[in-house]
Amino acid sequence: MAARHPPDTVALMREALRRDRLALEQKFLQQGKASNLLAAHSKLIDQYLCRIWQQLSMPESIALIAAGGYGRAELYPKSDIDLLILLDDEPDEALQHKLHELIARLWDIGLEVGHSIRTVAQCVTEACDITVQTNLLETRRLCGNAPLFDALCKAVGQHLDPREFYTAKLREQQLRHARFDDTDFNLEPNIKESPGGLRDLQTVTWICRAAGLGTRWTELAAAGLITDTEARQIARHDRLLQTLRTRLHYLARRREDRLLFDFQTTLAEQMGITASVNRRASEHLMQRYYRTKLAVRQFNTILLQNLRDYLFDETPAQRTLNERFRVIGSLLEIRDEQLFEHTPEAIFELFLLMQRNPELTDLTAVTLRALWRAQLKIDAAFRKNPKNRSRFMEILRQPHGVNHALRRMRQYGILGRYLPAFGHIVGQMQHDLFHVYTVDEHILMVVRNLRRFTLGKHAHELPLCNKLMSEFARPEVLYIAGLFHDIAKGRGGDHALLGKKDAQLFCTQHQLSRDDSELVVWLVEMHLTLSATAQKMDLADPEVIAAFADKIKNDRYLVALYLLTVADVQGTSPKVWNAWKSKLMEDLFGLTRRYMKEGAATDRLADIRAQAATTLNLYALSPDSYRLLWAQLDDSYFLDHEAQEIAWHSRQLAFRANTATPVVKTRLSRAGTGLQVMVYCPDQRWLFARICAFFSRMHYTIVEAKIHTTQHGYALNSFQIMEVSRSDMDYRDLMNYIEFELTQKIVQGKPVEPVTAGRVSRQLKHFPINTRVNIERDRHGMYVLTLVAGDRPGLLARIAQILDRHNIRLHRAKINTLGARAEDVFWISGQMLNNPVESGAFLNELLEKL
């Protein structure tokens, strides 16, 4: 084996490389030109690689080849250095030792290389894989056997079919886009892989290289694929993405392609972006990025279509739709490239035709380009034109394609031009820690959800919503309310009240009937009310239902608000919506509808007791089995629980009202997911805190707690719990585990161990929530504690321990987690709450400890 290079030489070279890279970084941070940095970094690595190649006296018969991004001289600071060591024949033992020494030396001096060792024939064989073929397309020789490299280039070229390559890269892009579909407009996007990222631009240049059309945007313009103006625009977007990725690598000190919250503020500062009155500097930066990605997707679509026309000698079937449009294959095309210039009204006609002809899959490149240019034609005169207003309403009233039409209009810049208020929120961030999408994407998600309610194939997801939507006349009022419900975010002030004014103006301009206009405006103003009532108020209190019903004009208003609320909460984040929230909202809807039809129940207490008794009779339980238990329960228990819950409790406690042994029972939650847990035992200090700590350590979250103390001193507590992370344990085993282990915890009665504050999420770290607590008395004289705080593991357990330390009795709790934000409500009582000094100390401890 060849002698290794002296350690001091390796150390010197490693230090020199570190200094040279640092110098490049400092120069970049001063000048900010990413393209210069990428080329200079590639050149620097070239020099070190060639120097080591020479130091080790590598054989002249082989060659060292740069591949991938390094091959095209775009080496990002923390990216791997892709190398191909090209052999003229299978390596003997001596050469294998030599190659091993080469790779070890590269790592020793600090070069993170990814390498392959192949002959020309092996390269051709491996090129059946599209990734390998793409890497071989971007190779360049660094040192070694030049004729061998030429032979590789010739062999790759001979086996490269540009049309097959186009088809493979297009399929690869479609799969990548599908993979990132749910995170396309999320708040921490991947600027390389997500739709509209760097990879979309690289896909185009790879295909162009395979077709021999060049790789620079100016070369593509010269080939007629794009115009000179488009070449300049796409180069500007390319520079922004390159700059962001380069700065990300330096900030993260690793290969990082996600615009994480950790780096957004610093990135904005480095790029000279400043905050405005209502927006952080990072929000301005991210809006610039999101608008860039929309443009990149547009150019990507145009170029791929033009490349298809160039590569494939096909004459798709054509047919005329009308005097302005025709169909080419499955694409819609304008018959006159200047159509939108002299007849801007045809813009909305285009979207209507796409809706009415579902066989159409997209627009031709000619049409896309004309539509892109025509954005400025959507001015004040266009917006005032009655024909355009009428056509926009037609789009919203179509039975199919409303969601696709609005998304296309957003993509091509049309929707933001027609509705300027929408244009302002395109790409706008939301830092409330439960919306995971930009404002415009959230709005379109809400409209999408409303449309899904109309489709029978999705009826199994939310049957009630599907039924209500199928009976709802003129559903376009819901889509309009969805478009405007958050449209005023980022302006400062109450976005519901500001959005209400925008909605009123839209309805007036588009000649909606008085009834529909009033409904839209009311929905925008009240869109948070149903969710807040369902998740923060006591739905067992008839006065809560009555107060909510007083805000509702009629049944159509109630149905509309329910449908919009479900669509809205579903559209915030996949993690925010769950079966428990669905049940709460459905319960409020049902209770309110009944109240509006029948009025307040004359004797609700008697009705609940009768319903529970009827259910128990179905289980062949005589009144004697639960009479003693019911005698110890006051009216508040019956009013606080549904009849089926009372029946379940009574079945489990039949003939056991005075048992000394704790009774812990579980069942699958009627909400559809999670569990319902009943705990019955002689009341004891720290019981609620002990139960909370138990579930916290099991990684379950309590979403509702009903705490009741019987007249003979027993605690009868009921909990709805949801799993935070999926468990591999069978649910029956899990239920048995909870029943046994929690019973043991209660029997042992050991002091409750302090629950440590869980780890703060990255979102909370960068966008912290100041803990807010408030106590006020409700109409029944009970104290209501409202708490808003950053959510973290063990939060509820720590709250429970603070309540117990201050001898505060908990009667009911509603736990509402919105992403990284906790909004909890507790109904409590205790002597110290009547003392301003003691209650102040209690509130201060909550603020300090949470």
Side-chain angles (χ1 to χ4, degrees), residues 791-834:
D791 190 36
R792 65 183 70 178
L795 176 65
L796 182 60
R798 294 199 309 281
I799 294 172
Q801 292 179 4
I802 294 173
L803 292 175
D804 273 325
R805 271 199 297 275
H806 289 270
N807 293 314
I808 293 175
R809 180 182 172 191
L810 176 68
H811 299 270
R812 188 186 183 107
K814 277 200 166 183
I815 312 304
N816 185 26
T817 304
L818 302 168
R821 179 187 182 96
E823 297 184 358
D824 302 340
V825 184
F826 304 89
W827 285 262
I828 57 179
S829 63
Q831 281 296 116
M832 58 84 63
L833 295 172
N834 299 318

Side-chain angles (χ1 to χ4, degrees), residues 181-308:
D181 182 57
D182 290 339
T183 60
D184 192 6
F185 280 82
N186 76 2
L187 305 186
E188 294 183 303
N190 187 308
I191 62 174
K192 178 185 176 184
E193 300 289 348
S194 67
L198 279 164
R199 190 64 88 200
D200 280 6
L201 296 178
Q202 292 164 357
T203 296
V204 169
T205 57
W206 287 330
I207 296 172
C208 289
R209 185 189 292 267
L213 296 172
T215 59
R216 299 180 183 276
W217 304 119
T218 52
E219 293 174 326
L220 271 57
L225 294 174
I226 51 177
T227 66
D228 291 336
T229 300
E230 289 168 340
R232 288 192 295 271
Q233 290 174 335
I234 199 168
R236 184 176 73 250
H237 296 307
D238 196 3
R239 285 195 297 272
L240 175 62
L241 293 175
Q242 286 184 340
T243 298
L244 288 173
R245 190 178 183 215
T246 301
R247 291 185 182 278
L248 266 177
H249 280 209
Y250 280 135
L251 284 172
R253 294 297 167 189
R254 65 178 185 272
R255 178 179 175 175
E256 180 57 78
D257 297 327
R258 295 167 299 162
L259 278 169
L260 301 177
F261 292 136
D262 309 52
F263 310 122
Q264 290 176 10
T265 299
T266 306
L267 274 171
E269 291 173 355
Q270 287 185 356
M271 297 175 69
I273 299 172
T274 57
S276 58
V277 175
N278 296 315
R279 293 192 191 179
R280 299 177 174 93
S282 60
E283 293 179 47
H284 288 289
L285 166 71
M286 295 305 294
Q287 187 164 48
R288 185 183 300 182
Y289 160 75
Y290 288 116
R291 292 181 173 180
T292 283
K293 73 174 279 145
L294 287 171
V296 168
R297 290 194 70 173
Q298 174 84 352
F299 285 123
N300 173 269
T301 303
I302 290 173
L303 281 162
L304 288 178
Q305 284 196 25
N306 284 341
L307 283 166
R308 182 177 182 84

Side-chain angles (χ1 to χ4, degrees), residues 475-487:
E476 65 272 13
V477 300
L478 295 175
Y479 310 147
I480 296 169
L483 279 173
F484 282 90
H485 81 286
D486 275 355
I487 206 165

Side-chain angles (χ1 to χ4, degrees), residues 727-829:
S727 170
D728 294 331
M729 187 183 297
D730 180 82
Y731 75 90
R732 286 163 295 198
D733 294 336
L734 181 63
M735 292 164 68
N736 289 333
Y737 176 85
I738 291 173
E739 290 177 2
F740 178 79
E741 292 294 333
L742 184 52
T743 299
Q744 294 303 306
K745 293 284 186 185
I746 297 171
V747 169
Q748 292 166 5
K750 293 180 180 179
V752 180
E753 298 178 6
V755 179
T756 57
R759 183 179 179 183
V760 177
S761 67
R762 287 187 305 101
Q763 290 91 334
L764 272 178
K765 180 180 177 182
H766 296 282
F767 306 104
I769 295 175
N770 293 324
T771 301
R772 301 198 307 273
V773 293
N774 181 59
I775 291 184
E776 58 184 25
R777 277 192 163 179
D778 65 11
R779 57 179 63 90
H780 303 298
M782 188 174 292
Y783 287 96
V784 180
L785 169 67
T786 304
L787 181 144
V788 177
D791 190 36
R792 65 183 70 178
L795 176 65
L796 182 60
R798 294 199 309 281
I799 294 172
Q801 292 179 4
I802 294 173
L803 292 175
D804 273 325
R805 271 199 297 275
H806 289 270
N807 293 314
I808 293 175
R809 180 182 172 191
L810 176 68
H811 299 270
R812 188 186 183 107
K814 277 200 166 183
I815 312 304
N816 185 26
T817 304
L818 302 168
R821 179 187 182 96
E823 297 184 358
D824 302 340
V825 184
F826 304 89
W827 285 262
I828 57 179
S829 63

Side-chain angles (χ1 to χ4, degrees), residues 307-599:
L307 283 166
R308 182 177 182 84
D309 293 342
Y310 176 85
L311 292 171
F312 293 86
D313 186 17
E314 297 176 346
T315 307
Q318 298 187 20
R319 63 185 175 92
T320 300
L321 274 182
N322 58 32
E323 65 274 17
R324 290 172 295 282
F325 296 91
R326 64 188 170 204
V327 177
I328 299 181
S330 63
L331 306 178
L332 182 64
E333 182 171 85
I334 51 178
R335 300 177 66 183
D336 174 7
E337 290 190 25
Q338 300 302 313
L339 172 65
F340 300 137
E341 301 297 321
H342 57 72
T343 312
E345 309 87 65
I347 293 174
F348 282 167
E349 182 184 5
L350 175 148
F351 293 101
L352 270 173
L353 290 173
M354 291 291 292
Q355 290 177 285
R356 291 171 176 170
N357 297 272
E359 72 278 7
L360 297 176
T361 58
D362 211 334
L363 309 176
T364 64
V366 170
T367 309
L368 285 170
R369 182 177 283 123
L371 198 58
W372 188 261
R373 291 196 308 265
Q375 292 179 57
L376 296 180
K377 289 292 180 180
I378 304 179
D379 53 15
F382 182 98
R383 290 188 283 268
K384 291 178 182 177
N385 189 322
K387 182 182 291 187
N388 294 330
R389 291 176 174 177
S390 175
R391 277 199 174 139
F392 187 76
M393 289 304 303
E394 279 189 79
I395 290 171
L396 296 179
R397 288 175 175 139
Q398 291 301 300
H400 306 288
V402 174
N403 177 49
H404 290 304
L406 292 175
R407 286 188 172 275
R408 282 194 176 101
M409 293 170 77
R410 190 269 302 267
Q411 170 70 41
Y412 307 143
I414 303 301
L415 189 58
R417 292 288 301 179
Y418 185 66
L419 301 177
F422 186 88
H424 292 316
I425 50 91
V426 170
Q428 182 177 315
M429 300 279 282
Q430 303 187 78
H431 290 311
D432 51 22
L433 299 181
F434 57 92
H435 283 88
V436 298
Y437 305 109
T438 56
V439 180
D440 58 311
E441 179 65 11
H442 165 67
I443 284 174
L444 295 182
M445 289 283 281
V446 171
V447 176
R448 185 208 70 166
N449 292 339
L450 289 167
R451 290 292 298 167
R452 284 171 70 94
F453 298 160
T454 69
L455 304 177
K457 64 181 180 180
H458 297 299
H460 64 283
E461 298 173 359
L462 293 164
L464 178 59
C465 290
N466 180 261
K467 179 179 183 299
L468 294 174
M469 196 68 164
S470 67
E471 301 168 349
F472 194 85
R474 302 183 303 284
E476 65 272 13
V477 300
L478 295 175
Y479 310 147
I480 296 169
L483 279 173
F484 282 90
H485 81 286
D486 275 355
I487 206 165
K489 281 194 169 179
R491 298 186 202 170
D494 187 329
H495 74 277
L497 294 178
L498 295 172
K500 166 187 171 182
K501 296 178 181 178
D502 292 340
Q504 178 67 72
L505 179 62
F506 176 91
C507 292
T508 301
Q509 292 174 341
H510 292 77
Q511 298 184 338
L512 269 71
S513 68
R514 179 178 176 179
D515 287 346
D516 285 350
S517 296
E518 289 178 352
L519 176 55
V520 169
V521 172
W522 181 84
L523 285 171
V524 173
E525 180 182 8
M526 303 292 289
H527 73 271
L528 298 173
T529 308
L530 188 147
S531 175
T533 303
Q535 296 180 81
K536 298 179 182 180
M537 303 294 285
D538 182 2
L539 301 188
D541 185 348
E543 294 185 23
V544 169
I545 304 302
F548 178 71
D550 286 344
K551 301 173 184 177
I552 315 292
K553 183 176 181 180
N554 54 41
D555 190 65
R556 178 172 170 82
Y557 273 56
L558 175 62
V559 170
L561 183 60
Y562 173 70
L563 291 171
L564 178 62
T565 302
V566 173
D568 185 17
V569 178
Q570 274 191 317
T572 57
S573 163
K575 296 181 180 180
V576 167
W577 178 257
N578 57 43
W580 178 245
K581 285 186 172 67
S582 175
K583 181 182 183 301
L584 288 176
M585 293 179 192
E586 190 171 327
D587 286 349
L588 177 57
F589 172 78
L591 291 168
T592 307
R593 204 175 207 189
R594 184 185 308 160
Y595 177 88
M596 292 174 66
K597 286 182 178 179
E598 304 172 3

